[in-house]
Amino acid sequence: MKRRAQDINEQSTWQDVTIGAEIFEPATSKLVNTGDWRIMKPVFKEDKCKHCMLCIPYCPDSSIPVKDGKRLDFDYMHCKGCGICVKVCPFDAIDFVKEVK
């Protein structure tokens, strides 16, 4: 029986999960909150952003949403704080600060 990622939880046995390194359905990373791994956090400075979208393709976690041609604040639920967006922004529109939990 093929299980869907959303049906796998802490009570699932190893026989119930998918075989390692095999992806059976797309976008399963949206089901997992990986943002709490961060030590550093990007902070969006909207007043400096020119919406050039250079940061978007560099984000390995797709944590920079866009709506109506405008870049929005970070999706902190999935952002791991790698800092790539900070390095590629030519307008200094992203700060990189220590995460406070």
Side-chain angles (χ1 to χ4, degrees):
M1 177 174 108
K2 184 174 136 188
R3 305 237 0 207
R4 293 176 43 89
Q6 66 188 18
D7 299 328
I8 298 171
N9 58 50
E10 292 83 14
Q11 286 75 42
S12 300
T13 65
W14 69 269
Q15 295 96 340
D16 294 330
V17 298
T18 58
I19 299 169
E22 292 189 24
I23 300 171
F24 290 99
E25 60 184 301
T28 57
S29 62
K30 293 179 182 179
L31 301 172
V32 181
N33 178 3
T34 55
D36 59 357
W37 299 353
R38 268 190 319 273
I39 295 173
M40 298 293 288
K41 170 183 174 178
V43 178
F44 179 45
K45 298 187 286 187
E46 190 171 4
D47 59 318
K48 289 191 170 191
C49 183
K50 306 295 185 209
H51 301 282
C52 67
M53 307 299 172
L54 289 175
C55 57
I56 309 300
Y58 282 97
C59 180
D61 301 308
S62 298
S63 295
I64 305 173
V66 175
K67 183 176 182 183
D68 299 327
K70 299 279 187 177
R71 179 228 192 276
L72 304 176
D73 203 357
F74 290 94
D75 170 7
Y76 289 117
M77 185 165 187
H78 297 100
C79 170
K80 293 181 187 72
C82 68
I84 295 172
C85 57
V86 179
K87 296 284 186 185
V88 300
C89 179
F91 302 106
D92 192 35
I94 305 170
D95 280 338
F96 205 41
V97 300
K98 185 173 173 103
E99 176 79 40
V100 179
K101 296 193 182 204

